[in-house]
Structure formats: C-alpha cells, structure tokens
Amino acid sequence: MTRREKLLDLLVARTSATRERLEHESTDQLENILDRSLLQSIRAEVMNSPEVVERLKKVDEINEESRRQYEEFQLSLIFRTPINGNVAIDNQSNRGFILGWLQEDQGESISATWFQKVLKENPALAHQLSWQSADLLDPRKQKEAAEAQAEQDRETFNQFARENGLSECESNHLLVKSVLGHGFDRYKLAQAVQSNALQLAPAPPEELAKFQRDAYEERVDWLTNSATPLELRQAARQESEQGRAQQQRTAQQVKIRENKESAVGYVGLPETDRYGVKIDRAYLLKLADNDIARYKQFCSRYGFAAITTRLNGVR
C-alpha cells in the first residue's frame, strides 16, 4: 500500500470527508489535513483533562471578578454624577434599573458618560430612580450632616436613658453606637435592650436625682408658661397615672438593688441627720446639688437601694 493510500484511509477514518473528495487533493495537502486533524484531536483531549478544566474554571472566575469590580467602580462613579442638581441614591433598586438599561449586544459599556447619555436621550427614565441632593457630595456638608446626626443620636439616647433609668455616661453611649450605628430611634433602642443585644449600665442615684430635677423643672415651666386649661386638666390625670406606674417601676428597681446589696450589709439609713434634720427627698436632692462628695458617702454607707427608696418614697 502506497503512502498516499495510507493517508486516504486514515483521513476517511478520522474526518468527515469522503474518499472521493480527498482523492482530488495532492499528497502534500493530504498530509497537512492529517496534521490538522491530529492537532485538533490532541487539543480536544488536553482541553478535557481535569487539570485544564480546573484551570479554565479559575480563569473564568478571575474574569468574572474583574468584570464585577469594573462594574462596581463604574456604578460608584454613576452615583456621584450630578443630574440636574441631584445624584441617584446607591441602593439595590437603582442598581437594578441602571443595569437594566445597558444594551451590551449593541456595544454599550457601563460608565458615567454612558449614564448621562442614556438620561439625555430618554429623560423619562430618571423617574425610575430615587434621587438625593448633590450637595451631600460636598465634604463640608457631609461633615455638617454627620455632626447633626450625631447630635440627634445623642439626644435620642439621653431621652431613652432618662425614661428607663439608665446612665447617660459616655460608655453607654459608645456601646449604643457600636451596636446600632447612626440614625437609631427609641424603638430600636428598646428592642436592642429587650433582646439583650445592649446591656447598659443603670443610672446611679445621683444621676437619677438629676433626671428627676430636670424633668420636674421642664414640667413646671411647661405648666406655668405654655399649657392651656384643657392641657392642665389632662396633665393632672396623666401625672396621677404616671405616678402610680413610676412607683411600681421604682419599687422593682429598689428590689433588684436590694437583692444585689443583701450580702454587703449596709447600715440602715436614719430618719434624721446628727443635727436632727429630716433625711427626706428634699434633703438628699439638696445634698446631691451642694455636696456631691458627701452624697456619694451616703450611697456607699447606706446603699443605693436605701437612697433610691428615700428619694422616691416608694415605702
């Protein structure tokens, strides 16, 4: 059998070409066709090997991550691109709309320039997005907004602390920020405390006394200078109801403190001081105002439970 005949037999077996067509080719051309067939076979075998499949998979993953990073970078630029004095808000809804506008089959590529072009050609698309003032991109205004939010958060925390007998101390405030971040409200605070996500320190007696004085002064100012006759009657009823509720809460707090202090063995709080002056609510509040060191000595000697009881008259 000649070399040419062997080539024809191999090519008929390895390719889809017919013998009749192949017989029209020269011997050199038949050898080239066989070489290409062998190379294709080798390439297919290599491409299907586990090592190459795994490597190609990693290449695909790298390419996809590069595409995702590029898309994320371009979106970040888009959300900083002013349109009529506003910028689109960076949220999932806006991202979905913007990516939905992209027509890659027509050669479009996401970018801030493309975003401006799309909205210029189709202004109605802007109604699909939610917007905010471009002023928020100004670092100075961002700082002012952050400071205003921090001030509001502190006021929200202070109000919640006063309403729930918790300390306004900075450690409590920092703990709240670390758990809830910025922009929280009293409802979120209450949920976090009830779920034990936040465990805040209670206010000591001197701080509770300050809360009560401040609340009393604010209440008197409102009743004296602002309240209408109807509001005065409503306030009287509310104070009666709130007084009973506050007495119950205070009694519970006192009970908890007594249980914690039972093993310490505090001296009983006397009815009068050494000069015969009655140690009542007014006495303790005045002491906290004028001689805080001595007030703390009272707390250390007689215990927080006894001081809280006397301040609130719960027994």
Side-chain angles (χ1 to χ4, degrees):
M1 183 181 291
T2 65
R3 170 67 176 164
R4 179 178 176 78
E5 290 174 336
K6 289 181 180 179
L7 287 172
L8 288 170
D9 289 343
L10 280 172
L11 289 173
V12 169
R14 295 185 59 86
T15 70
S16 60
T18 64
R19 191 178 190 90
E20 290 76 9
R21 188 180 71 79
L22 292 172
E23 285 178 344
H24 293 289
E25 306 288 348
S26 67
T27 301
D28 289 342
Q29 289 174 326
L30 291 177
E31 288 180 344
N32 288 335
I33 294 172
L34 180 61
D35 287 342
R36 290 197 299 271
S37 175
L38 290 171
L39 285 174
Q40 289 173 353
S41 177
I42 293 171
R43 184 179 295 109
E45 184 177 346
V46 170
M47 293 299 289
N48 289 323
S49 68
E51 295 81 3
V52 172
V53 170
E54 182 63 26
R55 187 172 300 173
L56 290 175
K57 180 181 177 182
K58 289 182 178 179
V59 169
D60 288 341
E61 290 174 352
I62 292 171
N63 289 337
E64 175 59 22
E65 179 62 18
S66 297
R67 184 203 65 78
R68 190 195 65 78
Q69 289 180 357
Y70 173 80
E71 180 182 279
E72 186 66 28
F73 173 70
Q74 293 301 329
L75 282 170
S76 71
L77 296 180
I78 285 173
F79 291 123
R80 297 182 64 83
T81 300
I83 302 292
N84 298 325
N86 294 313
V87 290
I89 298 172
D90 187 354
N91 57 33
Q92 289 302 316
S93 175
N94 279 358
R95 283 170 173 254
F97 281 124
I98 293 170
L99 292 174
W101 300 342
L102 189 63
Q103 299 182 41
E104 293 179 317
D105 59 339
Q106 297 184 18
E108 292 184 349
S109 177
I110 189 170
S111 68
T113 302
W114 163 83
F115 176 68
Q116 291 171 309
K117 179 175 179 289
V118 169
L119 290 179
K120 183 177 180 180
E121 294 175 351
N122 301 278
L125 291 177
H127 297 303
Q128 296 179 359
L129 306 180
S130 51
W131 301 83
Q132 61 186 354
S133 172
D135 287 344
L136 295 177
L137 300 179
D138 184 340
R140 180 179 60 81
K141 293 186 177 180
Q142 285 181 334
K143 181 181 178 182
E144 291 174 354
E147 291 174 349
Q149 184 64 65
E151 184 176 346
Q152 181 180 334
D153 288 346
R154 182 70 197 205
E155 181 59 32
T156 300
F157 163 73
N158 287 350
Q159 189 172 0
F160 179 81
R162 290 175 178 237
E163 291 173 351
N164 293 274
L166 302 170
S167 177
E168 292 181 332
C169 63
E170 188 62 18
S171 58
N172 271 358
H173 179 226
L174 292 175
L175 180 58
V176 168
K177 290 203 298 184
S178 69
V179 174
L180 299 180
H182 304 290
F184 53 83
D185 54 26
R186 284 185 289 172
Y187 175 72
K188 289 183 179 178
L189 274 168
Q191 281 189 317
V193 170
Q194 291 168 6
S195 66
N196 287 326
L198 275 175
Q199 298 184 9
L200 303 176
E206 60 267 26
E207 197 169 2
L208 287 174
K210 179 179 181 300
F211 292 167
Q212 292 173 348
R213 286 196 306 276
D214 292 345
Y216 175 76
E217 290 172 0
E218 290 175 5
R219 185 71 170 173
V220 168
D221 179 69
W222 178 74
L223 291 172
T224 303
N225 301 310
S226 304
T228 65
L230 176 59
E231 288 173 333
L232 288 172
R233 289 194 294 272
Q234 291 175 339
R237 287 196 299 271
Q238 290 175 355
E239 287 181 356
S240 177
E241 295 170 359
Q242 291 172 356
R244 288 192 295 270
Q246 181 61 39
Q247 287 285 78
Q248 292 175 353
R249 288 195 295 270
T250 303
Q252 291 173 350
Q253 292 175 355
V254 168
K255 186 64 177 177
I256 292 172
R257 288 185 183 276
E258 284 180 339
N259 291 338
K260 291 181 178 180
E261 296 174 357
S262 59
V264 178
Y266 287 111
V267 176
L269 179 61
E271 294 296 325
T272 62
D273 64 9
R274 58 183 177 178
Y275 301 109
V277 179
K278 187 176 182 180
I279 302 177
D280 55 10
R281 172 185 172 82
Y283 181 98
L284 292 171
L285 290 177
K286 183 177 180 181
L287 188 64
D289 276 341
N290 301 322
D291 192 346
I292 190 62
R294 187 157 174 259
Y295 181 82
K296 290 181 178 180
Q297 289 176 355
F298 264 59
C299 294
S300 299
R301 179 174 175 79
Y302 304 114
F304 290 150
I307 299 296
T308 303
T309 299
R310 190 67 60 84
L311 275 169
N312 293 278
V314 294
R315 294 179 187 172

